[in-house]
Amino acid sequence: DTEVTQTPKHLVMGMTNKKSLKCEQHMGHRAMYWYKQKAKKPPELMFVYSYEKLSINESVPSRFSPECPNSSLLNLHLHALQPEDSALYLCASSQTSEQFFGPGTRLTVL
Amino acid sequence: RKEVEQDPGPFNVPEGATVAFNCTYSNSASQSFFWYRQDCRKEPKLLMSVYSSGNEDGRFTAQLNRASQYISLLIRDSKLSDSATYLCVVNMAGTASKLTFGTGTRLQVTL
């Protein structure tokens, strides 16, 4: 299994809602990532988990809260988002420097 | 100067053509280099890792020139299905888990 899966595919939420994005990989990779991608821009790194511990937080606002329940799962909890947070949220995993991306969650904040 | 620079294109080429993309990077101590392909509204997919000796995968050839700090991707016999954005990606020295992405080069292959 060489897949990274993400749910949901699409999410529409209001600024007062709380929602979560989920990511799963079964490749035994040691590191998992969250990226944000706006249209016509490259992915921007948000968080890195290495061996289930948060190792990098790219100064992401606290309305985004990552969680790594185990080595296969990565969540991104969302609360009080702004319309400018609307984007494609990509999860990735890696064992070495090559990263493999999931299909993403397209988030719209109203 | 951007850490990873690419010509955004678009490159419009006919089917069967050969097309080459270049990418430059600023950090001479960078260690790993990749080309990713991204289709519209899809995730980036690893196309090739790029090695100092150069590497080839079918119609695709990647080269690394450390002295000049650039990476190239050559696509021979272009297919309509090659139409996508090609992202040059570098793993900067001292940042084992961080990839730095170029802004991408858009390729459109036409009949």
Side-chain angles (χ1 to χ4, degrees):
Chain A
D1 183 358
T2 56
E3 264 194 332
V4 178
T5 59
Q6 289 186 245
T7 56
K9 286 192 171 128
H10 301 275
L11 179 62
V12 179
M13 61 187 289
M15 289 190 282
T16 58
N17 292 158
K18 283 185 181 181
K19 297 285 184 183
S20 296
L21 309 185
K22 297 185 184 301
C23 174
E24 191 167 2
Q25 59 93 7
H26 292 290
M27 296 177 276
H29 286 173
R30 62 167 180 83
M32 295 185 76
Y33 311 78
W34 282 115
Y35 288 86
K36 172 182 176 179
Q37 188 175 25
K38 301 282 265 185
K40 299 190 190 300
K41 299 284 187 184
E44 295 175 35
L45 183 66
M46 300 174 73
F47 302 104
V48 181
Y49 273 82
S50 182
Y51 296 108
E52 301 172 48
K53 294 197 184 314
L54 183 65
S55 60
I56 296 176
N57 176 341
E58 292 285 272
S59 303
V60 178
S62 60
R63 58 186 185 268
F64 296 91
S65 175
E67 178 197 18
C68 188
N70 61 54
S71 59
S72 300
L73 289 173
L74 188 64
N75 298 323
L76 186 63
H77 303 299
L78 314 172
H79 174 53
L81 294 194
Q82 304 297 310
E84 59 265 29
D85 296 322
S86 298
L88 179 67
Y89 287 83
L90 293 160
C91 174
S93 71
S94 71
Q95 183 60 23
T96 60
S97 52
E98 296 174 338
Q99 293 184 20
F100 298 90
F101 287 83
T105 293
R106 192 160 296 281
L107 174 67
T108 302
V109 182
L110 300 176
Chain B
R1 184 184 170 188
K2 287 182 185 173
E3 292 176 306
V4 179
E5 289 205 65
Q6 294 182 251
D7 181 342
F11 284 59
N12 294 298
V13 302
E15 255 191 320
T18 295
V19 62
F21 307 137
N22 288 331
C23 161
T24 57
Y25 58 95
S26 60
N27 187 332
S28 60
S30 296
Q31 296 175 332
S32 304
F33 309 89
F34 310 96
W35 284 102
Y36 280 77
R37 170 203 168 121
Q38 187 168 25
D39 292 284
C40 188
R41 300 180 70 82
K42 300 281 190 181
E43 76 274 25
K45 292 189 177 177
L46 181 64
L47 182 66
M48 305 177 76
S49 299
V50 188
Y51 305 114
S52 297
S53 55
N55 45 307
E56 187 174 311
D57 183 3
R59 299 182 292 110
F60 299 84
T61 301
Q63 298 276 355
L64 167 63
N65 185 319
R66 284 190 185 271
S68 301
Q69 293 178 216
Y70 81 75
I71 308 148
S72 64
L73 177 67
L74 183 77
I75 305 176
R76 290 180 299 278
D77 189 23
S78 298
K79 311 288 184 195
L80 291 174
S81 56
D82 293 333
S83 298
T85 296
Y86 290 82
L87 296 162
C88 176
V89 183
V90 175
N91 175 218
M92 306 300 242
T95 60
S97 297
K98 287 182 68 169
L99 298 181
T100 301
F101 289 78
T103 51
T105 297
R106 176 91 182 102
L107 171 66
Q108 183 67 51
V109 181
T110 57
L111 287 170

